[in-house]
Amino acid sequence: MDDINKKLEALRADVDEALKKIGADDIKKELTDLKAQSQLDNFWADNLKAQEIMKRVSRLETKLNPWLDLELGLKDIYELLEAKDPSLLAELSEQLDSLEKNFDRLKQQLKFSGQYDDFDAIVSIYSGAGGTDAQDWAQMLLRMYMRWAEKQNFKTITVDESTGEEAGIKSVTLEINGPYAYGKLKSEHGVHRLVRLSPFNADNLRQTSFAKVEVIHKIDKPETIEIDNKDLKIDVYRSGGHGGQSVNTTDSAVRVTHVPTGITVAIQNERSQLQNKETALTILRSRLAQMQLEQHLDNMSELKGPNQSAEWGNQIRSYVLHPYKQVKDLRTRHETSDVDGVLDGDIDPFINAYLEHNLGN
């Protein structure tokens, strides 16, 4: 029993420390407030606001409840210990081992300490230098992230897509919804480099291609980032994408430009001009919030426009298919020869290496 007591006390101390780190008391208070709002008679009068509140409740419960279950498990073991029954020793040891395994799994959440780590993610992929090969490479990255999200049981929504003339895609924007989606995917932000024998070259020569991946946290609430209407330039135009006759014959596509920073978001996937405008504004707010975070500013009016050329040179990872096989992250030095596995969505080792690297800095 003494060994079990020692292990139990150590685990209890670790769990208490973890609950402090995730701000369990603050989460409980916010959940109480939000659930009280949801019980009001007029709660669903504003349907959009109500949906956002319920999404917030779900996100907070997903973050907190596994830890509360762990606490309850510890309480059960304490109660069994009070019986001081030697015949329960095997059962106690088994339960404690199970709780320790759950804690090891849950403590991975502690790596997600960023302000927006538990937000959904907006992922954009842009083909870069390399012509058709780069457009094909952008589509390979799209498949990689789609397969990764599928393995995580995350929901993906294609917000906008521009296909290449011969093959691949020029650009695509995805919304990826799931626990800590942004916290996990922020490691992918930057330029990805591919080296292979080109399937689009008659001489089958070695080709280097580039694609840029942009990862931002999704801002659900418009009031989180307030944008002055006078700072916006909104253009509508005829969609050139797929979606049926009405998409291609009406001015449903929308381009929103934030004049002070020069950030432009164009959306044309939906049939409705209003839907495309709302989607574009959501992405614009998210990008402005990301810039505000990166530039360490309290006032959004001080934001400077993104330096696209400098960002484009920020190569983070190389994928080599010829003359050898290797994927190597240039920030963490993590590497693997299982290129096919990585391109099939097995990127968790790179995500974890990035999180560990940042914790150590």
Side-chain angles (χ1 to χ4, degrees):
M1 290 286 187
D2 287 343
D3 287 343
I4 290 179
N5 266 309
K6 288 179 182 178
K7 290 175 67 176
L8 185 60
E9 289 300 322
L11 181 57
R12 181 58 196 245
D14 288 340
V15 171
D16 287 344
E17 182 64 25
L19 287 168
K20 289 179 183 177
K21 285 185 177 179
I22 68 169
D25 289 340
D26 291 336
I27 294 175
K28 289 176 184 177
K29 183 178 183 303
E30 185 176 354
L31 277 171
T32 299
D33 292 342
L34 292 175
K35 288 180 178 179
Q37 291 182 48
S38 71
Q39 299 301 314
L40 297 175
D41 292 338
N42 64 343
F43 177 67
W44 290 101
D46 186 338
N47 191 56
L48 288 177
K49 182 179 179 181
Q51 287 184 35
E52 294 303 330
I53 288 175
M54 297 312 296
K55 281 173 65 176
R56 180 64 178 165
V57 168
S58 177
R59 179 181 289 144
L60 291 173
E61 287 182 336
T62 297
K63 184 175 184 177
L64 180 64
N65 285 353
W67 290 101
L68 297 184
D69 291 342
L70 193 57
E71 268 197 318
L72 285 175
L74 288 169
K75 183 179 178 182
D76 288 343
I77 293 180
Y78 275 115
E79 290 177 353
L80 288 172
L81 277 172
E82 288 178 0
K84 297 181 180 179
D85 185 347
S87 67
L88 296 175
L89 187 60
E91 180 183 347
L92 287 168
S93 181
E94 184 179 336
Q95 287 190 26
L96 186 54
D97 286 344
S98 178
L99 290 180
E100 286 179 328
K101 288 178 182 177
N102 283 341
F103 174 73
D104 287 340
R105 177 178 54 82
L106 284 173
K107 72 180 183 181
Q108 298 299 312
Q109 290 184 10
L110 303 180
K111 297 176 182 177
F112 304 112
S113 56
Q115 182 180 356
Y116 301 105
D117 280 358
D118 63 341
F119 278 48
D120 294 329
I122 295 173
V123 178
S124 298
I125 305 170
Y126 306 93
S127 63
T132 302
D133 274 282
Q135 293 175 8
D136 186 55
W137 173 222
Q139 187 164 51
M140 290 168 66
L141 287 172
L142 170 62
R143 179 184 179 274
M144 182 178 81
Y145 293 124
M146 293 285 279
R147 292 301 302 274
W148 175 82
E150 180 183 336
K151 293 174 182 180
Q152 302 284 320
N153 293 317
F154 285 2
K155 180 182 178 182
T156 59
I157 301 169
T158 301
V159 175
D160 198 57
E161 183 175 352
S162 175
T163 57
E165 287 84 1
E166 296 180 44
I169 55 174
K170 293 179 180 177
S171 64
V172 66
T173 296
L174 294 175
E175 184 179 316
I176 301 182
N177 304 318
Y180 300 100
Y182 174 71
K184 293 179 179 180
L185 287 169
K186 64 185 180 182
S187 63
E188 302 303 296
H189 185 94
V191 175
H192 296 243
R193 171 179 173 260
L194 173 69
V195 180
R196 64 171 175 176
L197 296 178
S198 172
F200 304 102
N201 189 304
D203 297 322
N204 201 32
L205 298 175
R206 183 177 172 184
Q207 175 77 31
T208 300
S209 309
F210 296 89
K212 184 175 74 170
V213 176
E214 177 191 71
V215 183
I216 57 178
H217 53 278
K218 182 187 175 186
I219 296 294
D220 291 315
K221 299 179 181 179
E223 62 269 22
T224 304
I225 293 291
E226 295 183 2
I227 305 174
D228 195 324
N229 285 332
K230 74 176 187 299
D231 289 337
L232 297 177
K233 179 186 177 190
I234 300 176
D235 301 302
V236 296
Y237 57 98
R238 186 159 299 177
S239 170
H242 303 293
Q245 187 176 2
S246 64
V247 171
N248 295 314
T249 59
T250 60
D251 292 337
S252 60
V254 175
R255 182 188 299 111
V256 179
T257 303
H258 184 247
V259 177
T261 60
I263 295 177
T264 299
V265 180
I267 301 293
Q268 62 176 352
N269 271 25
E270 301 293 343
R271 293 177 179 271
S272 162
Q273 182 185 120
L274 181 60
Q275 285 179 298
N276 283 329
K277 179 182 175 183
E278 286 305 312
T279 301
L281 286 172
T282 296
I283 295 176
L284 177 61
R285 290 188 195 99
S286 299
R287 286 183 175 166
L288 289 172
Q290 184 80 10
M291 286 178 60
Q292 191 173 8
L293 193 66
E294 291 172 353
Q295 297 179 19
H296 308 290
L297 297 174
D298 295 325
N299 191 340
M300 198 179 71
S301 64
E302 299 174 11
L303 281 177
K304 298 177 181 177
N307 185 341
Q308 292 293 337
S309 59
E311 188 178 5
W312 192 254
N314 185 25
Q315 183 178 315
I316 65 164
R317 193 177 301 152
S318 289
Y319 306 69
V320 181
L321 276 65
H322 181 83
Y324 53 89
K325 287 198 170 186
Q326 182 189 66
V327 181
K328 183 173 183 177
D329 194 287
L330 305 179
R331 301 159 301 178
T332 65
R333 318 311 293 178
H334 182 79
E335 61 182 70
T336 179
S337 59
D338 184 17
V339 179
D340 294 334
V342 172
L343 294 177
D344 200 37
D346 295 333
I347 60 173
D348 279 335
F350 287 93
I351 291 173
N352 292 331
Y354 177 84
L355 291 170
E356 293 287 353
H357 178 74
N358 278 7
L359 282 174
N361 289 338

